[in-house]
């Protein structure tokens, strides 16, 4: 099986580091014209430099996924420059929390605004372009937390459960235009979001013992799924959430 993505144009949000950067790296290495969005200019500069050093081109834009005006500006520029947008990966996310009786309202709003509303705003801006093309792939970051209750994560888990349902509804709306919409559900992948790999060893072991495969996921595990979902091989998969959780 050869995944042929050459010449496609992808936008990845939250691509300054972590899973988003790995998705960008993998898509770019498959010949995809890769557009990186992140709220952090510092992370974006480092990410674009790292990719350039590896010999792959990427087009960085500072963009907060909560800022609709900036989203429209960026998408207009990407379309002018590259002519089309084939793939949108709504990967940007935050995971701030605490038990409900201590959870600050602004932390609740932050999770909802970035994880859920950001996914909505990006999808809303790109859907008309994909409809005109009569093709496209929208791929959203959900989470294992959307299904398994992890105490202290009500804001994050609720936002990700909503991303799952948003994905299903949007898939139904965009299906007639040959646009697929899916989401991915990572389990435990050590990144700067969670610092799993820096926990004391006994705590790490307790977490790993809850996984069928008994080891951490890798950012590449998600990136490979995104390549598949972006490809023609996944043309009949839509409205679904795919686990990348080690079971
Ligand atoms: P990360 O914190 O390493 O990276 C998130 C990126 O999103 C950062 O570059 C950050 O600057 C960017 N970002 C944050 N707010 C933004 C905003 N308002 N606008 C634009 N960019 C913004 O996280 P990660 O571990 O790479 O996670 C990536 C996605 O996968 C997230 O949606 C996360 O919820 C999801 N996820 C991760 C795991 C895991 O184990 N790492 C598990 C389940 C789900």
């Amino acid at each position: 099986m050869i995944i042929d993505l050459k010449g496609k144009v992808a936008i990845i949000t939250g691509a300054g580091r972590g899973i988003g950067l790995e998705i960008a790296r993998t898509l770019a290495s498959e010949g995809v014209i890769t557009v990186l969005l992140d709220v952090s200019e510092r992370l974006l500069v480092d990410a674009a430099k790292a990719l350039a050093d590896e010999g792959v081109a990427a087009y960085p834009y500072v963009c907060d996924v909560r800022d609709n005006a900036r989203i429209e500006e960026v998408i207009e520029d990407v379309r002018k420059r590259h002519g089309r947008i084939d793939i949108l990966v709504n990967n940007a996310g935050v995971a701030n929390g605490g038990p409900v009786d201590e959870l600050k309202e602004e932390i609740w709003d932050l999770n909802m605004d970035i994880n859920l509303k950001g996914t909505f705003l990006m999808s809303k801006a790109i859907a008309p372009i994909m409809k005109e093309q009569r093709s496209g792939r929208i791929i959203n970051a959900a989470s294992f937390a959307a299904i398994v209750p992890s105490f202290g994560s009500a804001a994050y888990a609720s936002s990700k459960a909503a991303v799952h349902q948003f994905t299903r509804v949007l898939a139904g709306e965009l299906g007639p235009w040959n646009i697929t919409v899916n989401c991915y559900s990572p389990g435990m992948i050590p990144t700067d979001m969670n610092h799993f790999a820096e926990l004391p060893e006994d705590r790490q072991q307790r977490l790993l013992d809850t996984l069928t495969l008994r080891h951490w996921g890798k950012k590449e595990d998600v990136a490979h799924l995104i390549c598949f979902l972006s490809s023609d091989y996944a043309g009949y998969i839509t409205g679904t959430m795919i686990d990348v959780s080690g079971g």
Side-chain angles (χ1 to χ4, degrees), residues 13-20 37-40 43 63-66 90-95 114-115 141-145 156 160 184-194 196 219:
T13 69
R17 71 178 190 195
I19 294 171
L37 269 56
D38 205 285
V39 70
S40 161
L43 288 177
C63 180
D64 186 327
V65 295
R66 294 168 293 183
N90 282 311
N91 166 80
V94 290
I114 297 176
N115 301 349
S143 171
F144 200 55
Y156 177 72
K160 293 297 189 177
Y184 52 98
S185 163
M188 293 190 245
I189 298 178
T191 64
D192 290 324
M193 176 179 268
N194 50 45
F196 284 141
K219 292 173 271 197

Side-chain angles (χ1 to χ4, degrees), residues 90 114-125 166 170:
N90 282 311
I114 297 176
N115 301 349
L116 179 58
K117 189 173 170 192
T119 298
F120 155 64
L121 291 176
M122 288 295 305
S123 305
K124 178 178 162 72
F166 175 79
L170 189 63

Side-chain angles (χ1 to χ4, degrees), residues 161-233:
V163 165
H164 181 202
Q165 192 63 349
F166 175 79
T167 298
R168 292 158 54 123
V169 173
L170 189 63
E173 291 180 4
L174 298 182
W177 284 270
N178 191 32
I179 300 162
T180 67
V181 188
N182 292 290
C183 58
Y184 52 98
S185 163
M188 293 190 245
I189 298 178
T191 64
D192 290 324
M193 176 179 268
N194 50 45
H195 302 283
F196 284 141
E198 292 155 36
L199 293 170
E201 235 166 71
D202 59 328
R203 174 98 179 95
Q204 285 196 39
Q205 198 52 55
R206 277 203 302 281
L207 288 172
L208 292 173
D209 285 343
T210 65
L211 299 177
T212 304
L213 288 177
R214 311 292 202 284
H215 62 78
W216 300 125
K218 299 190 297 300
K219 292 173 271 197
E220 292 87 335
D221 295 327
V222 176
H224 295 155
L225 172 65
I226 303 299
C227 278
F228 170 67
L229 286 175
S230 301
S231 77
D232 289 347
Y233 291 106

Side-chain angles (χ1 to χ4, degrees), residues 29-176:
S29 72
E30 294 291 332
V32 174
I33 296 162
T34 306
V35 178
L36 317 184
L37 269 56
D38 205 285
V39 70
S40 161
E41 185 169 10
R42 181 184 56 80
L43 288 177
L44 265 184
V45 168
D46 290 352
K49 185 177 177 319
L51 294 183
D53 289 348
E54 293 163 25
V56 288
Y59 300 86
Y61 289 85
V62 177
C63 180
D64 186 327
V65 295
R66 294 168 293 183
D67 180 348
N68 197 37
R70 178 63 181 151
I71 288 173
E72 286 178 356
E73 198 175 84
V74 167
I75 287 174
E76 181 57 26
D77 198 64
V78 172
R79 206 213 332 211
K80 260 197 212 134
R81 202 191 272 219
H82 303 293
R84 52 188 296 111
I85 300 171
D86 300 292
I87 303 157
L88 166 64
V89 186
N90 282 311
N91 166 80
V94 290
N96 297 14
V100 170
D101 56 354
E102 294 169 19
L103 189 61
K104 291 199 170 71
E105 190 180 338
E106 53 268 32
I107 299 295
W108 175 271
D109 289 344
L110 187 73
N111 281 272
M112 291 296 167
D113 286 352
I114 297 176
N115 301 349
L116 179 58
K117 189 173 170 192
T119 298
F120 155 64
L121 291 176
M122 288 295 305
S123 305
K124 178 178 162 72
I126 282 177
I129 295 172
M130 291 184 169
K131 274 181 164 179
E132 212 179 294
Q133 295 168 180
R134 298 196 75 83
S135 72
R137 299 277 198 264
I138 298 178
I139 308 168
N140 302 323
S143 171
F144 200 55
I147 296 186
V148 176
S150 139
F151 305 122
S153 75
Y156 177 72
S158 304
S159 72
K160 293 297 189 177
V163 165
H164 181 202
Q165 192 63 349
F166 175 79
T167 298
R168 292 158 54 123
V169 173
L170 189 63
E173 291 180 4
L174 298 182

